[in-house]
């Protein structure tokens, strides 16, 4: 018998897919408002702006790095960073700003009841920053420290990523430095920042994205705080907006560096030389993006001391063909960077400086083998793993927020997870072969860091990639 006075149970039910679709509204000033409904007390809301280091060609390099560090400092309404944090604390909120090559993102996670406060805060932080002399000076100090740390840390991946982009897109768009060069730290001031913000922080280049809130409520808050808001730098005519399309050049960037004392202590990391070889892939707007994503998952890889089973990628090619067969290889990992107009698929490998020549030969051979036969089991495993990773990542509210914001910023719509999974399922081995063949016709981009005494020349690496077996030219091997 049911207990008396107990309310009738209400069970969760699927009420059609429309409840989970991303809704987009464009305001009169061009600002896009995008939202995704998600169960829970908390929401993540943020402003994504089509602005980043790739747009700094006509400016001093490093402005985006400065803006990232200056985010959530004093504004017209809030006297200091502490005041902002105390305001967020009332709603259990946290804030963050991230600048990448093509996007700057201001985000806040807080209780959904504080939505109006959160949107008001975001509008103030993005459009009304004070940029006081004291804050700019503190930012200079923070950036100098970060640059020093970047060159000293044991993990060279951030530095290598910068180098491979600089090699692949020499002096243009995504090849421009994401970090502020040391010589520019004293040159960037309020006037320089305002001239940049005037061109790039315009409503038509912005998306207000939210996850975990009602769409109508977010639109109302956007109209209240962002429609007709006058920025602190004025609303003059934009005249210096960089609309350059990425030009892939290929090339090599080398940094000779003593890596023998990078990690001191009872169990120091051995001295290593790091090589990254990349080739142009495709932008995330092209159909080939999905086959490239599957290929990247198929290559996989990681560190030689990684632990885990098949789900962690132990059956990927870089594990099976490289790390399992060559005990001296410390790391072999595949990465895929994709942008609105280009993409870069690269492999990062590290080994003892005496093994650099063999390491380069092994990595170039892996690139050549990509164009060969792809086993059905191998392909299905990569596709399943990619779908699994996609769905696992989208369990996190901040990840959904970033996915919604970035997709709407680039395409004005959002592909839902089940659509992406359907596209992944359609990838055939012939698609992998086709995209690889197209990729191998390009000049390679190479980044090298450490003791480079035995590093083959760029011409030899290029010749190895265009050969049938990925081997370095015979004459080079004989006389080395």
């Amino acid at each position: 018998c049911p207990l008396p006075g107990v309310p009738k149970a209400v069970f969760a039910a699927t009420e059609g897919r429309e409840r989970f679709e991303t809704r987009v509204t464009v305001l009169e000033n061009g600002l896009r408002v995008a939202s995704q409904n998600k169960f829970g007390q908390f929401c993540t809301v943020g402003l994504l702006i089509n602005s980043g280091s790739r747009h700094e060609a006509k400016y001093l390099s490093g402005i985006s790095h400065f803006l990232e560090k200056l985010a959530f400092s004093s504004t017209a309404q809030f006297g200091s960073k502490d005041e902002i944090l105390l305001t967020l604390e009332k709603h259990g909120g946290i804030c963050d700003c991230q600048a990448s090559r093509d996007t700057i993102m201001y985000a806040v996670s807080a209780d959904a009841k504080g939505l109006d406060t959160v949107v008001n805060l975001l509008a103030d932080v993005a459009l009304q920053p004070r940029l006081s002399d004291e804050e700019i000076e503190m930012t200079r100090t923070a950036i100098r420290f970060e640059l020093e740390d970047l060159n000293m840390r044991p993990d060279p991946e951030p530095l290598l990523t910068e180098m491979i982009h600089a090699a692949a897109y020499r002096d243009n768009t995504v090849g421009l430095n994401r970090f502020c060069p040391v010589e520019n730290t004293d040159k960037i001031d309020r006037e320089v920042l305002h001239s940049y913000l005037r061109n790039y922080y315009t409503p038509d280049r912005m998306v207000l994205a939210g996850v975990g809130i009602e769409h109508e409520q977010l639109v109302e808050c956007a109209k209240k705080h962002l429609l007709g808001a006058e920025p602190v730098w004025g609303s003059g005519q934009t005249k210096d907006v960089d609309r350059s399309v990425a030009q892939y050049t290929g090339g090599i960037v080398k940094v000779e560096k003593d890596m023998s004392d990078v990690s001191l202590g009872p169990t120091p990391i051995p001295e290593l030389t790091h090589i990254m070889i990349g080739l142009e892939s495709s932008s995330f707007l092209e159909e080939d993006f999905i086959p490239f994503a599957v290929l990247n998952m198929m290559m996989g890889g990681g560190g030689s001391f990684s632990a885990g089973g098949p789900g962690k990628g132990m059956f990927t090619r870089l594990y099976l063909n490289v790390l399992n067969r060559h005990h001296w290889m410390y790391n072999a990992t595949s990465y895929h960077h994709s942008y609105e107009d280009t993409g870069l698929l690269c492999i990062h490998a590290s080994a003892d400086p005496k093994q650099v020549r063999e390491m380069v030969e092994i990595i170039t051979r892996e690139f050549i083998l990509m164009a060969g036969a792809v086993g059905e089991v191998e392909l299905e495993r990569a596709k399943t793993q990619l779908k699994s990773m996609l769905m696992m990542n989208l369990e996190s509210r901040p990840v959904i927020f970033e996915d919604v914001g970035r997709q709407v910023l680039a395409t004005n719509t959002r592909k839902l997870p089940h659509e992406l999974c359907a596209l992944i399922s359609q990838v055939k081995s012939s698609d992998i072969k086709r995209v690889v063949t197209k990729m191998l016709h390009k000049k390679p981009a190479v980044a090298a860091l450490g003791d480079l005494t035995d590093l083959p020349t760029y011409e030899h690496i290029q010749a190895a990639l265009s050969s049938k077996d990925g081997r370095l030219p015979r004459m080079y091997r004989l006389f080395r």
Side-chain angles (χ1 to χ4, degrees):
C1 296
L3 290 168
V6 175
K8 192 179 175 185
V10 179
F11 295 99
T14 53
E15 300 174 36
R17 198 164 270 148
E18 63 276 358
R19 281 182 61 82
F20 308 101
E21 284 182 358
T22 305
R23 294 178 63 188
V24 182
T25 299
V26 183
L27 302 186
E28 290 89 331
N29 61 356
L31 178 92
R32 284 156 287 178
V33 182
S35 76
Q36 175 84 41
N37 218 333
K38 186 173 169 67
F39 175 78
Q41 180 187 351
F42 274 72
C43 66
T44 300
V45 182
L47 267 175
L48 289 95
I49 302 160
N50 186 8
S51 150
S53 57
R54 70 170 293 164
H55 300 109
E56 293 171 2
K58 298 176 184 176
Y59 294 88
L60 287 167
S61 179
I63 290 175
S64 300
H65 195 184
F66 258 79
L67 291 170
E68 180 186 50
K69 295 277 177 253
L70 284 162
F72 295 99
S73 296
S74 64
T75 67
Q77 285 182 48
F78 302 92
S80 67
K81 190 166 200 155
D82 288 345
E83 209 174 306
I84 288 174
L85 295 176
L86 284 168
T87 305
L88 285 173
E89 209 174 273
K90 290 172 188 170
H91 301 285
I94 54 169
C95 60
D96 183 33
C97 177
Q98 290 180 9
S100 62
R101 291 189 147 75
D102 51 3
T103 315
I104 288 184
M105 180 173 69
Y106 299 85
V108 172
S109 284
D111 192 301
K113 290 174 186 168
L115 181 64
D116 189 71
T117 307
V118 166
V119 176
N120 175 37
L121 172 66
L122 285 166
D124 215 42
V125 163
L127 301 175
Q128 301 283 336
R130 280 189 187 164
L131 305 179
S132 68
D133 293 341
E134 188 188 350
E135 285 168 350
I136 290 174
E137 196 51 53
M138 282 174 68
T139 300
R140 286 192 182 116
T141 307
I143 285 173
R144 285 191 198 108
F145 177 79
E146 191 176 334
L147 294 173
E148 229 172 275
D149 177 59
L150 196 67
N151 288 306
M152 288 167 63
R153 62 170 68 176
D155 175 23
E157 199 200 308
L159 205 55
L160 278 166
T161 302
E162 286 306 303
M163 290 163 64
I164 196 80
H165 278 83
Y169 306 93
R170 196 167 289 277
D171 300 327
N172 77 89
T173 57
V174 292
L176 300 176
N177 203 332
R178 194 168 69 81
F179 298 104
C180 180
V182 180
E183 62 273 15
N184 285 358
T185 49
D186 288 323
K187 296 176 188 173
I188 294 174
D189 55 21
R190 191 190 298 113
E191 195 180 325
V192 171
L193 293 168
H194 275 187
S195 70
Y196 179 86
L197 291 165
R198 192 173 292 113
N199 286 306
Y200 290 100
Y201 275 42
T202 54
D204 57 304
R205 299 178 71 86
M206 293 182 184
V207 168
L208 177 70
V211 175
I213 31 83
E214 293 292 335
H215 185 71
E216 288 76 16
Q217 198 184 349
L218 187 62
V219 171
E220 282 308 308
C221 291
K223 285 178 177 174
K224 182 178 170 184
H225 300 294
L226 286 158
L227 191 60
E230 182 72 23
V232 71
W233 48 85
S235 53
Q237 192 66 33
T238 58
K239 55 182 184 296
D240 278 334
V241 175
D242 186 0
R243 293 190 172 84
S244 308
V245 175
Q247 303 296 315
Y248 180 83
T249 59
I252 186 166
V253 172
K254 297 188 286 186
V255 175
E256 284 269 4
K257 190 178 175 188
D258 179 12
M259 306 284 277
S260 57
D261 60 349
V262 164
S263 174
L264 302 172
T267 52
I269 292 173
E271 183 184 354
L272 299 170
T273 293
H274 300 272
I275 305 291
M276 203 179 256
I277 299 175
L279 290 162
E280 189 180 23
S281 58
S282 76
S283 93
F284 56 69
L285 298 177
E286 295 175 47
E287 285 182 9
D288 285 347
F289 171 67
I290 301 290
F292 270 117
V294 174
L295 172 66
N296 181 52
M297 192 57 71
M298 200 167 75
M299 297 309 293
S304 57
F305 298 113
S306 288
K312 195 166 179 285
M314 300 299 266
F315 278 102
T316 60
R317 284 192 178 187
L318 292 179
Y319 263 120
L320 292 173
N321 302 347
V322 178
L323 295 169
N324 283 357
R325 294 185 184 182
H326 307 282
H327 66 90
W328 45 268
M329 285 281 274
Y330 191 84
N331 170 49
T333 315
S334 173
Y335 296 96
H336 189 216
H337 305 278
S338 198
Y339 305 96
E340 209 171 330
D341 49 1
T342 187
L344 191 65
L345 183 85
C346 38
I347 296 175
H348 167 207
S350 26
D352 186 275
K354 296 183 184 70
Q355 311 280 154
V356 169
R357 185 184 64 76
E358 291 95 326
M359 174 168 68
V360 170
E361 201 167 275
I362 287 161
I363 297 307
T364 52
R365 194 182 305 137
E366 284 307 308
F367 271 110
I368 301 295
L369 289 171
M370 286 181 194
V374 179
E376 200 56 44
V377 173
E378 179 186 34
L379 182 63
E380 284 307 312
R381 183 185 284 123
K383 292 192 317 193
T384 305
Q385 207 172 335
L386 182 59
K387 283 188 249 184
S388 165
M389 197 175 81
L390 174 74
M391 301 311 282
M392 285 292 286
N393 284 340
L394 290 173
E395 287 289 305
S396 161
R397 193 182 58 251
V399 174
I400 300 173
F401 154 76
E402 191 174 340
D403 184 47
V404 169
R406 284 183 180 275
Q407 285 203 50
V408 172
L409 193 64
T411 65
N412 295 321
T413 58
R414 178 182 179 235
K415 273 196 172 80
L416 292 174
H418 69 271
E419 295 176 72
L420 290 169
C421 286
L423 290 170
I424 293 167
S425 297
Q426 289 165 19
V427 174
K428 301 183 183 72
S429 56
S430 57
D431 296 322
I432 302 289
K433 192 166 183 175
R434 174 176 52 79
V435 297
V436 171
T437 306
K438 190 169 80 171
M439 182 175 71
L440 286 171
H441 283 125
K442 303 282 175 69
K443 285 171 66 178
V446 182
L449 177 70
D451 179 352
L452 308 179
T453 312
D454 287 342
L455 179 72
T457 64
Y458 178 74
E459 288 72 24
H460 284 113
I461 296 172
Q462 193 175 353
L465 275 168
S466 56
S467 69
K468 286 182 180 177
D469 57 3
R471 286 184 174 273
L472 291 165
R474 179 172 165 75
M475 291 300 287
Y476 170 80
R477 288 187 284 130
L478 283 174
F479 291 108
R480 214 50 170 158

